[in-house]
Amino acid sequence: MILRIRVYPRPSGVGLRLLALALFISASVAFSRASEATADKKLPLPGAVWRIDGRTAFLIPAAEPPAGRPKPWVWYAPTLPPYPGDAERWMFERLTRAGIAIAGIDVGESYGSPSGRAGFSALYAELTGERGYARRPVLLGRSRGGLQLINWAA
C-alpha cells in the first residue's frame, strides 16, 4: 500500500489578511442584522422600542398618566427577545389603565453583572431624567430578572 501525502503550500501573509478581512466583514454584517432585528421587539401592548447604548429598550405608556407629578412605572425584567410576552398582557392592561407605565431593557443573560447593571442605569437615567418618570419604580422581576433588578437596586 502506497500512502500519498499531499503537502499544501503555506498561505501567504496577503492570503491570511484577505481571509481575516472576509471573516470580519461577514461578522459585521451578521451583527448589524441581529442588532436591527432586536430593535423591532414585539410588545404585548402598543409602546415604544428604541436603543440605549446598543441595547433594546421598551416603554408601554400609561393610558392616562397622572398630571402634575412624576409618572409611575413598573420596571420589567428580564427583557430578552421573547419577554415580555403575551402571558403578561392581562397584567400590563390593568397597570396601564391604572395610570402606570411599563418599561425594560434587554441586558442579555447578565445575571446582575456590572455590564448588565450599566444598561439598567442607562434606562433609569433616560426615564427619570429625560422622560419625567418617577425616581422609584416598582421592580417586577421574573426568575433571573429578579436577580438582575435586585443587583442593580443594591
Side-chain angles (χ1 to χ4, degrees):
M1 174 178 196
I2 299 175
L3 181 64
R4 293 186 184 187
I5 300 174
R6 181 173 256 180
V7 178
Y8 292 98
R10 187 175 189 183
S12 69
V14 173
L16 287 175
R17 286 188 203 111
L18 287 174
L19 177 61
L21 179 63
L23 289 173
F24 175 77
I25 290 170
S26 297
S28 297
V29 169
F31 179 76
S32 68
R33 287 185 181 155
S35 297
E36 290 168 7
T38 58
D40 295 331
K41 183 169 196 56
K42 183 179 180 252
L43 298 173
L45 295 177
V49 177
W50 74 100
R51 312 273 299 164
I52 299 176
D53 295 338
R55 300 175 184 272
T56 303
F58 79 91
L59 174 66
I60 299 173
E64 292 185 36
R69 63 183 175 103
K71 298 177 266 187
W73 60 295
V74 169
W75 192 333
Y76 178 87
T79 305
L80 300 169
Y83 303 117
D86 286 333
E88 287 81 27
R89 176 185 292 273
W90 67 271
M91 176 175 50
F92 286 5
E93 287 172 343
R94 283 154 182 79
L95 289 168
T96 56
R97 279 196 305 248
I100 302 168
I102 303 103
I105 187 167
D106 186 351
V107 295
E109 296 287 2
S110 63
Y111 298 98
S113 70
S115 67
R117 292 193 315 265
F120 275 30
S121 292
L123 175 68
Y124 180 82
E126 180 164 330
L127 291 179
T128 60
E130 300 173 24
R131 296 184 183 229
Y133 282 88
R135 291 183 47 199
R136 291 187 177 183
V138 172
L139 305 180
L140 175 59
R142 288 180 56 182
S143 187
R144 60 192 170 273
L147 179 64
Q148 295 170 338
L149 286 169
I150 295 303
N151 273 311
W152 174 82

